[in-house]
Amino acid sequence: MASPIDAFYPTPKNLIDKMVSGVDFKLVGSVLEPSAGKGDIVDVVADRLRMYHGRSYNYDSRSPYQPDIDTIEINPDLRHVLAGKGYRVVHGDFLTYETYKHYHLIVMNPPFAQGEKHLLKALEMQERGGAIICILNAETIRNPNNLTRVTVNGLLDQYGASIEYLSDEFRQAERKTAVEIALVKVDIPAADEESIIINSLKKANEVKVISPGECTDLSEADYVKATITQFKLEAKAGLQLIWDYKAMKPYLALSKGVLSLCFSNDYSS
């Protein structure tokens, strides 16, 4: 099995520029980079966020604008590099990462050997709305020879993803490879917010909770399990309400009051 450092191919600057081309950073609040390496991609993303948000931010020397960027990196040495740059490192392995947090944008260059698994995880995280930018080995898309690849291709078709094939992006990179890549961009429409919050509360109310007085030796485990399940559902619904309010807050003052997706209609802009 390849070590994390063997799988690390820093993303060239010209490719990063292509990745973020067409993103309307004015509409991006929270960002996740699940294979952050030494921070080449998030360096560019952070600069773009500061460019668009810093101007309109109510600047105060005590609380200047700080991009809301979470990073994940499996290599401990690279995690130290990211932390040294001031980035928030929230986990080591993206495939085991669990969070209630919602990201407007997930941008990544995952290990090519696990590209389909990483992209599927990102698609699942963004299923209620959000953008994804991902670099893959082109064969991941062109050769769907396993169930995960088939599932990923189906979701990309469903969401109308933009896929651009590029041949020479890593030939002059820090670590060179001649592999052809696919640059995938997908913007998943926001889900019905009422269904997310209200349905979660409905599910919490539907959980059968056994009262302590009804507990027997046989039902005690069920009581504990049901109570925990109810708590998780209520917590998720409450956190969702808070995050959605925070996400909408920057736009509430806009005169048009219209929210749009992260990408502009023209990916090449």
Side-chain angles (χ1 to χ4, degrees):
M1 179 182 294
S3 69
I5 199 66
D6 291 334
F8 173 54
Y9 282 81
T11 314
K13 177 62 166 59
N14 64 325
L15 180 54
I16 298 173
D17 290 339
K18 291 179 182 179
M19 293 175 73
V20 301
S21 174
V23 177
D24 188 348
F25 280 97
K26 294 189 297 294
L27 302 179
V28 176
S30 53
V31 178
L32 174 67
E33 217 288 44
S35 305
K38 57 188 177 66
D40 293 330
I41 294 176
V42 287
D43 285 345
V44 174
V45 170
D47 285 344
R48 300 292 176 95
L49 288 171
R50 291 189 186 98
M51 181 187 305
Y52 288 104
H53 290 279
R55 295 172 183 169
S56 59
Y57 193 77
N58 186 15
Y59 184 80
D60 178 315
S61 59
R62 294 168 297 176
S63 58
Y65 172 77
Q66 293 295 334
D68 182 8
I69 298 176
D70 289 345
T71 63
I72 295 173
E73 173 52 46
I74 200 165
N75 183 277
D77 293 332
L78 296 176
R79 288 200 295 269
H80 285 299
V81 172
L82 292 166
K85 286 184 168 184
Y87 291 118
R88 190 164 55 231
V89 181
V90 296
H91 200 62
D93 184 356
F94 178 51
L95 296 180
T96 63
Y97 181 52
E98 298 294 336
T99 182
Y100 284 138
K101 185 172 181 177
H102 174 245
Y103 298 98
H104 294 109
L105 173 64
I106 297 177
V107 56
M108 58 183 179
N109 174 12
F112 284 172
Q114 293 187 308
E116 63 264 36
K117 294 180 181 179
H118 282 243
L119 181 51
L120 180 58
K121 172 87 172 184
L123 288 165
E124 291 170 346
M125 288 181 64
Q126 300 292 70
E127 64 182 356
R128 63 185 179 83
I132 300 168
I133 303 172
C134 179
I135 299 170
L136 297 171
N137 185 325
E139 284 298 297
T140 304
I141 304 297
R142 286 184 167 155
N143 184 21
N145 58 5
N146 61 51
L147 181 58
T148 303
R149 289 187 180 186
V150 170
T151 302
V152 166
N153 274 271
L155 290 171
L156 294 179
D157 287 342
Q158 176 184 331
Y159 294 130
S162 164
I163 303 174
E164 181 181 2
Y165 294 99
L166 303 167
S167 298
D168 301 317
E169 299 299 320
F170 282 90
R171 287 186 184 273
Q172 304 300 320
E174 188 174 328
R175 288 191 69 192
K176 297 176 177 55
T177 177
V179 67
E180 183 183 20
I181 64 169
L183 173 54
V184 177
K185 296 184 179 183
V186 54
D187 209 343
I188 301 174
D192 182 354
E193 294 301 326
E194 180 175 324
S195 67
I196 293 171
I197 298 171
I198 295 180
N199 286 348
S200 293
L201 290 171
K202 286 180 179 178
K203 287 180 182 178
N205 288 332
E206 289 168 1
V207 174
K208 178 174 173 56
V209 178
I210 305 167
S211 67
E214 297 174 321
C215 278
T216 66
D217 290 341
L218 293 177
S219 65
E220 184 174 355
D222 290 336
Y223 166 71
V224 173
K225 183 178 179 180
T227 302
I228 292 172
T229 301
Q230 184 179 29
F231 171 78
K232 287 182 177 178
L233 288 167
E234 291 175 347
K236 185 174 183 179
L239 288 170
Q240 180 63 57
L241 184 60
I242 294 169
W243 290 326
D244 286 346
Y245 169 74
K246 287 183 176 180
M248 290 188 296
K249 192 174 180 182
Y251 310 112
L252 295 178
L254 294 178
S255 57
K256 293 182 179 179
V258 177
L259 297 181
S260 61
L261 299 177
C262 291
F263 291 124
S264 65
N265 290 330
D266 181 5
Y267 285 105
S268 63
S269 62

